[in-house]
Amino acid sequence: MAFLNSILAFFGSATAIAPSITAPGKMWHLVILKVFSFVADYGWRIVVFTVLLKLLLSPLDFYQRYKMNKNQKITERLKPTMEKLQKQYGGDKQAFSQKQMELNRREGYSYFSSCLPMIATLVIFITLWLSMNTVAQFMTLKQYAELYDEYNVAYSQAVTETDDAKAVEIGQDVVFTMYYDGITDEYVAGLREKYGLSESFDLENSDKIQASFLWVKNIWAPDVPWGNKAILSYDSFIKAIDKYKNSDRNGLDSDKISDLINSQGTYERVMARLLSDDSHSKTNGFLILPILVVVLSVGSQLLTMMQQKRAGQVNAKGGTATSMKVMMFIMPVMMAVFAIQYASIFTLYMVMNSAMSLTLNALFSFIIKAMDKRKRTRNYGISTGSARTVTYKKSPIIHYVKGANPNAGAREVEPVAPEVAETADAEKPKVKKQKTKKQPNSMTVVRSGRPDPNELLNMENRTNKKK
């Protein structure tokens, strides 16, 4: 009898269906299933993947924010000119738009550079949505196949020592434990004692099948409190695996597909205890992820609209502003539809992606403001950096600028070689030196390369004398 059980267990493992299922093999599939396999929990795997992906794409986000800030400054500088053009071509919108575009182009305004990162982000979003949907279909089918294989191994061994009804009950008990806790030696020993099985009854140790994340009990199903539970009914299961029902996708032959997928009776027999248990799977979630998706989407849309208005890409009134308002309504609704219809892993990705975008946007805004402040500081003479030796006379104009560099505007003295100086002195005719008053407050300083305020003062004095 023990020998027969060993033979049955061997053939049961040899004919296992789960290893025969073909995994998706495109780029995002391999990244999620293989590259990040060092994170065992699939929920946290998506979190780590999203954070690293967002950091990898952060230079594009910074470039977009930088270009929008540059466009904003150009718009502010050209505002008076634009108002004049609007008055001049008020009745001809086409001519005004043409003149506006010509002026913006001449001043370096970029219409498309700030949109390119957004296009790249949209492409990644769409491809990830398709890929994660395929991964969810594959994992839903694979999980059931693993439970199905384990049920057959347990049933084939138990039926030789007990009757059929008891063997079915043992197989369902094994499936239930494997899904929530995994198979251990202690569990197998307890199963033998509970059902009076011999020592020859044995199962391989395995990890739990359930893929949960915090409050979500099954991340391959939507985070919703209605409809499907964490354990899918047969109809919900067939809908969830979608294209993986087909042999060209799952790689199974027609006999295995018939046994595994096309038999509702087989599915309900294998999953009977899981389907009837309400203590573990009353609901799969509480709509927390979909709500977070909508809130973060609205916040991102508002922030983007304000940035584009400041950058001059959106007028306060007109068709562009109306389009932005429509998009601010449509995008959250579209995100909500995605969140309640597709697997929780994609909803989790959307939440983490939006949260990272808002965080990086705030950080980039701080960095760009610091860059602008430093640039203004250099332009207005508050910082020094040149190493040229000059002699200057204190200028009264400098003191009108609060916090300005007192050495700004010093006159530069070109160095002269000693030999050249002696030759020049010898060739000059000797004239009687006139006493000159010593200039006070002369000193050697480091010039920062700004205009000389003394020249401005002398020019003003000359103008007053002419008057």
Side-chain angles (χ1 to χ4, degrees):
M1 183 67 69
F3 177 75
L4 179 60
N5 288 346
S6 300
I7 293 297
L8 290 172
F10 171 78
F11 280 107
S13 60
T15 58
I17 294 179
S20 303
I21 299 176
T22 303
K26 294 184 179 180
M27 183 186 72
W28 292 125
H29 304 146
L30 295 175
V31 168
I32 296 172
L33 296 175
K34 300 295 183 182
V35 176
F36 283 84
S37 59
F38 60 89
V39 184
D41 186 281
Y42 280 95
W44 289 111
R45 185 182 300 188
I46 295 301
V47 171
V48 174
F49 163 74
T50 307
V51 170
L52 293 180
L53 177 63
K54 197 65 182 176
L55 291 177
L56 182 65
L57 298 175
S58 59
L60 286 177
D61 295 335
F62 180 79
Y63 176 78
Q64 179 184 9
R65 186 72 184 87
Y66 177 79
K67 282 295 184 180
M68 290 177 65
N69 182 71
K70 184 178 179 180
N71 288 344
Q72 175 187 347
K73 293 184 178 303
I74 294 175
T75 302
E76 291 175 353
R77 187 173 71 247
L78 297 180
K79 188 176 180 180
T81 307
M82 290 298 181
E83 291 177 352
K84 293 179 180 179
L85 288 175
Q86 193 169 12
K87 291 179 180 179
Q88 184 178 356
Y89 298 96
D92 191 346
K93 293 184 178 181
Q94 184 176 359
F96 170 71
S97 299
Q98 184 177 357
K99 292 292 183 181
Q100 184 182 21
M101 290 183 66
E102 291 176 358
L103 182 60
N104 285 335
R105 192 182 301 110
R106 187 166 61 250
E107 294 295 326
Y109 188 97
S110 177
Y111 285 96
F112 301 106
S113 59
S114 59
C115 298
L116 292 177
M118 190 179 301
I119 295 173
T121 302
L122 183 61
V123 171
I124 291 174
F125 177 85
I126 294 174
T127 55
L128 268 176
W129 164 55
L130 296 173
S131 298
M132 287 187 178
N133 193 30
T134 303
V135 169
Q137 296 172 20
F138 163 71
M139 291 302 300
T140 301
L141 178 60
K142 183 183 177 183
Q143 284 184 354
Y144 169 63
E146 290 175 350
L147 296 174
Y148 173 87
D149 291 338
E150 198 70 16
Y151 171 88
N152 287 335
V153 171
Y155 174 83
S156 62
Q157 294 184 75
V159 76
T160 61
E161 300 186 27
T162 62
D163 56 30
D164 183 76
K166 187 68 70 175
V168 170
E169 183 180 344
I170 292 172
Q172 292 171 351
D173 190 289
V174 169
V175 168
F176 183 88
T177 304
M178 183 180 180
Y179 183 81
Y180 286 115
D181 302 312
I183 302 297
T184 62
D185 293 336
E186 292 77 9
Y187 167 73
V188 175
L191 197 64
R192 294 194 197 107
E193 182 179 353
K194 179 179 178 181
Y195 291 98
L197 302 173
S198 64
E199 291 294 326
S200 62
F201 180 88
D202 195 17
L203 299 171
E204 292 185 2
N205 291 352
S206 67
D207 296 329
K208 71 174 185 176
I209 298 298
Q210 183 188 29
S212 59
F213 178 77
L214 300 179
W215 63 89
V216 181
K217 296 177 181 178
N218 181 6
I219 62 172
W220 311 119
D223 177 16
V224 294
W226 61 79
N228 300 328
K229 297 181 180 180
I231 306 300
L232 303 177
S233 65
Y234 177 74
D235 293 336
S236 300
F237 166 73
I238 294 299
K239 183 179 179 180
I241 62 176
D242 195 19
K243 296 179 180 179
Y244 257 85
K245 298 189 298 289
N246 305 322
S247 58
D248 58 342
R249 180 62 65 91
N250 58 42
L252 301 177
D253 56 42
S254 57
D255 293 337
K256 289 182 178 180
I257 292 176
S258 178
D259 293 340
L260 184 68
I261 300 173
N262 296 338
S263 176
Q264 181 174 354
T266 301
Y267 180 87
E268 292 177 348
R269 183 174 68 253
V270 172
M271 306 290 286
R273 187 174 173 187
L274 288 171
L275 289 169
S276 62
D277 179 70
D278 289 335
S279 61
H280 288 78
S281 58
K282 288 183 178 180
T283 181
N284 191 49
F286 307 100
L287 277 177
I288 296 177
L289 289 177
I291 292 173
L292 288 175
V293 165
V294 173
V295 171
L296 292 173
S297 179
V298 171
S300 299
Q301 289 290 319
L302 288 173
L303 182 61
T304 302
M305 181 183 292
M306 289 188 296
Q307 290 174 348
Q308 290 183 346
K309 280 185 177 180
R310 288 198 299 266
Q313 294 178 335
V314 178
N315 296 324
K317 297 180 181 180
T320 309
T322 304
S323 301
M324 287 294 296
K325 291 179 180 178
V326 172
M327 287 300 296
M328 190 175 66
F329 173 77
I330 291 177
M331 286 298 293
V333 172
M334 187 175 68
M335 295 296 102
V337 171
F338 279 122
I340 63 179
Q341 286 191 349
Y342 294 98
S344 297
I345 58 165
F346 183 65
T347 312
L348 181 59
Y349 161 75
M350 289 192 292
V351 169
M352 291 303 303
N353 183 68
S354 298
M356 285 293 296
S357 296
L358 290 173
T359 303
L360 291 175
N361 204 334
L363 176 62
F364 294 156
S365 297
F366 175 79
I367 293 174
I368 290 172
K369 286 182 180 178
M371 292 171 60
D372 289 342
K373 183 177 180 180
R374 183 175 179 82
K375 187 175 181 180
R376 288 195 302 269
T377 298
R378 288 179 174 178
N379 290 341
Y380 288 104
I382 301 179
S383 64
T384 61
S386 175
R388 292 180 294 177
T389 303
V390 298
T391 303
Y392 89 108
K393 298 178 181 180
K394 285 187 177 179
S395 170
I397 293 182
I398 288 295
H399 302 289
Y400 284 99
V401 183
K402 185 177 180 181
N405 177 20
N407 301 330
R411 293 180 179 275
E412 187 173 342
V413 177
E414 298 293 338
V416 181
E419 299 81 1
V420 177
E422 292 177 1
T423 305
D425 292 340
E427 293 178 356
K428 286 182 180 180
K430 295 183 179 180
V431 294
K432 186 177 181 180
K433 295 183 178 180
Q434 297 181 355
K435 293 183 179 181
T436 57
K437 189 176 180 180
K438 185 178 180 181
Q439 299 292 344
N441 299 327
S442 296
M443 59 187 297
T444 301
V445 298
V446 176
R447 182 181 177 185
S448 57
R450 285 167 293 278
D452 184 7
N454 292 297
E455 295 179 359
L456 301 177
L457 184 62
N458 294 335
M459 184 182 297
E460 183 179 358
N461 292 336
R462 288 195 298 270
T463 304
N464 292 335
K465 286 179 181 181
K466 288 181 181 180
K467 291 181 178 181

